[in-house]
Each structure stands twice: as structure tokens, then as C-alpha cells.
Amino acid sequence: MENQTTLKEFIIVGFVVRPELKPLLFTVSLFIYLLVISSNLVIIVTAIVEPRLKTPMYFFLQNLSFLDIFSTTVTFPKLLAIFLGKSRTISFAGCITQMYFFLSFTSTEFYLLAAMAYDRYVAIHHPLRYTDIMNKRFCLLLAVFSWVPGFLDVVPHAVLGSQLSFCGSTLINHFFCDLTALMKISCSDPHEVESLIFAEGVFAGLIPFSLTLTSYIYIIRVILNIRSAEGRQKAFSTCTSHLTVVTVLYVSMFCMYVRPASSYSPDQDKLLAIVYTAFIPIFNPLIYSLRNKDMKEALKKLMGRKSTA
């Protein structure tokens, strides 16, 4: 009980590598972090300054870029500090806060992708009424109902995490305060906590997944009813970028959290976390810009303005 009540901080292990490799890993991590920030800022700025991109799809894409920036910023600065040889410690309150925001941004992204799926459904099924249905007020409501539930869904996770007891090791074998890593070193009853977190995680992920799946069922039905092959290809091309992002995100997060604690592997979890915190935030702006004609033209126009300035 004394160890439980006097616990004030954890030690984050990060990646166990040889000392001579740390400068290289710091450089690579810093490059990835700056690339995430810059690429998503380019999407945000381009969508703001280019009139043709003031559409619902790019409004949601801006929200997605903000989420990517925030989710990476929650985890990467501490990882960079560890590679620099700075303090590996993090306070108990700081750990729970980091965990809460990481899970909140993840949950919000699920809801936001569901809103984007509905946007694609309206664009394909009601092209003539698209601007009337997806008006500014409705888009703002969809954004609010993505961010608010995303932050509320994970409150039980933060509460459960803050009530865990730690009797022995305070070494978190991860590069940030991940909930499964905390459970691994906790002396609380793992089965009860795991069941509650699993149930809440499935519930929080099931709602946006069901909404996204429903939208795509209707989208596929509409596409199959299009008579011309060219029309079907054009309609499907408007959804491929979003569908790719949805698939990668759900697969990576499912592998991270929707599994029993007995199958927990620190090295595997770190790699999956890198996919979510680093590669997906880079992948999102790339796939939306490279596969989108309007975005590519807007980027060329923006670069042309800077070169002539």
C-alpha cells in the first residue's frame, strides 16, 4: 500500500537500442515529426486559401489534418527527448493525461471518418442536392458530433487508468503512456479492468464503424446501379482515398487494442503505435493530395504564388 500511495512518476522505456544509434533514430524521428506537421499544415492552408476547395470534403479533411497533428504531438516530443538522453520520467498525472488525449484523438478520428463516409454517400447518391444537404451548418454539426463523442468515449479509460494500482515496477515498456502497457505493470485485477476496457473500446469503435459501414453499403449499391463503366469508375474514385484511410486505421487500431492482454507484445505494440502516430498522419495528406485532381492543382497554384512572391 505504501508503494501504491507514494507513486508519483513512471519511467518510459522507449526503444531499447545501442547508444551509437540514438542520434540516427533521433534524426529520423524528428524528420518524421516535422514531415507530419508540415504536410498536414499544407493541406489545411491550401484548403483555406483556395476557393475551389471550400467544400464539405475539404472541411472534413482539414479536421483530419488537425487530428493528425495533435495525435503525433501527444507522443513524439517525449520520444525525441528520450533519444536525446533527456529524462525518461513522466508524472502519474502527465501519463494519464497523455493517454487520455492519445485515445481521444484516435476515437475522434473514427467518428470523423464516419462523417466523411456520409459526405461521400451524399455526393454520389444526391449529386444535385449535395450542396443543399451538406451545408455549412450541417457540416459544422457533423464535426462537433465527431470531436465531442471522441473525447467523451475515452473518459472511462482515463478513469480506470487513474485507479490502477502499481506495487512493483514503474517501467512502461513503450514510447508513451499506452493503456495496455500500464495494465501490464499494474497489480490490479487485470481481468476485471481488461473486460471493462475491452467492452468500452468495442462500443466506442462499433458506433463509428457501423455508421461508416452503412454509408459504404449504400455507396456500393448506388455505384452498382450506374449503367456506364466510366460512371462507376468515376463514382468509385471519389471514395478510394477515404476507404484506404479507413481500412489502414481500423486494422492498426484493432490489432493494438481489440485483443486479450495475454497476447500483449511490447515490441509489436510499439511498431503498431508507430504506424498510427507516424505513418498514418503522413499517409493521409499524401493519399488525399496525390489522388485528388483539385488538391494537386490547388497545391501547384499555391506553390506558384510563393515562387512569384
Side-chain angles (χ1 to χ4, degrees):
M1 287 300 295
E2 181 179 357
N3 287 338
Q4 294 178 29
T5 56
T6 58
L7 177 65
K8 294 183 179 179
E9 61 184 19
F10 295 102
I11 299 174
I12 297 180
V13 174
F15 292 94
V16 180
V17 296
R18 291 178 299 187
E20 59 268 23
L21 292 178
K22 288 184 178 181
L24 175 61
L25 292 176
F26 170 80
T27 303
V28 173
S29 300
L30 179 61
F31 174 76
I32 291 174
Y33 181 55
L34 293 178
L35 185 59
V36 169
I37 302 299
S38 59
S39 59
N40 282 283
L41 281 177
V42 167
I43 296 293
I44 294 170
V45 172
T46 305
I48 290 175
V49 301
E50 180 56 43
R52 74 168 69 183
L53 300 185
K54 296 187 183 300
T55 64
M57 187 181 84
Y58 293 103
F59 168 75
F60 293 123
L61 185 55
Q62 284 177 288
N63 279 264
L64 183 62
S65 292
F66 276 117
L67 277 174
D68 287 338
I69 291 173
F70 294 153
S71 62
T72 305
T73 301
V74 166
T75 58
F76 257 62
K78 188 62 179 180
L79 178 62
L80 293 172
I82 292 174
F83 283 141
L84 276 179
K86 303 294 183 182
S87 175
R88 293 175 176 265
T89 61
I90 185 171
S91 67
F92 182 83
C95 183
I96 298 300
T97 301
Q98 185 187 51
M99 180 192 72
Y100 171 73
F101 279 106
F102 173 78
L103 293 175
S104 294
F105 293 136
T106 303
S107 180
T108 300
E109 190 160 352
F110 287 143
Y111 283 102
L112 185 62
L113 289 174
M116 295 174 73
Y118 179 74
D119 170 71
R120 293 299 83 204
Y121 160 72
V122 175
I124 292 174
H125 194 259
H126 303 288
L128 300 179
R129 298 176 52 210
Y130 175 66
T131 54
D132 293 330
I133 297 174
M134 301 300 295
N135 54 64
K136 290 183 178 180
R137 182 175 179 274
F138 186 61
C139 288
L140 183 60
L141 285 175
L142 285 178
V144 170
F145 284 107
S146 297
W147 286 83
V148 173
F151 276 75
L152 293 179
D153 276 347
V154 298
V155 169
H157 293 72
V159 173
L160 286 171
S162 65
Q163 293 178 348
L164 292 175
S165 300
F166 301 91
C167 310
S169 174
T170 59
L171 293 174
I172 298 177
N173 194 2
H174 214 296
F175 63 90
F176 67 95
C177 284
D178 180 64
L179 185 56
T180 52
L182 281 176
M183 289 176 57
K184 196 65 178 179
I185 62 173
S186 172
C187 58
S188 300
D189 181 5
H191 300 293
E192 180 181 356
V193 178
E194 180 188 359
S195 298
L196 289 172
I197 293 175
F198 183 85
E200 173 64 21
V202 170
F203 177 77
L206 187 60
I207 294 176
F209 176 76
S210 299
L211 294 173
T212 303
L213 182 62
T214 301
S215 294
Y216 270 102
I217 289 174
Y218 282 102
I219 287 172
I220 292 172
R221 286 178 58 184
V222 172
I223 292 176
L224 292 178
N225 288 330
I226 298 176
R227 295 182 179 181
S228 67
E230 182 181 355
R232 287 195 298 269
Q233 182 178 2
K234 184 178 180 181
F236 187 73
S237 66
T238 64
C239 304
T240 52
S241 298
H242 177 265
L243 186 59
T244 303
V245 171
V246 168
T247 303
V248 173
L249 178 64
Y250 271 99
V251 169
S252 62
M253 297 310 295
F254 183 88
C255 293
M256 281 181 66
Y257 292 111
V258 188
R259 58 188 173 129
S262 57
S263 64
Y264 173 76
S265 169
D267 292 335
Q268 184 184 54
D269 270 32
K270 292 176 189 179
L271 291 176
L272 288 171
I274 284 290
V275 170
Y276 174 74
T277 60
F279 293 110
I280 289 181
I282 295 174
F283 180 69
N284 286 348
L286 284 177
I287 192 171
Y288 276 108
S289 59
L290 292 177
R291 293 187 59 87
N292 191 285
K293 181 180 178 181
D294 290 337
M295 178 59 75
K296 286 191 288 187
E297 291 179 356
L299 287 171
K300 290 179 181 178
K301 187 176 178 181
L302 183 63
M303 293 301 105
R305 288 177 183 173
K306 290 186 176 181
S307 62
T308 57

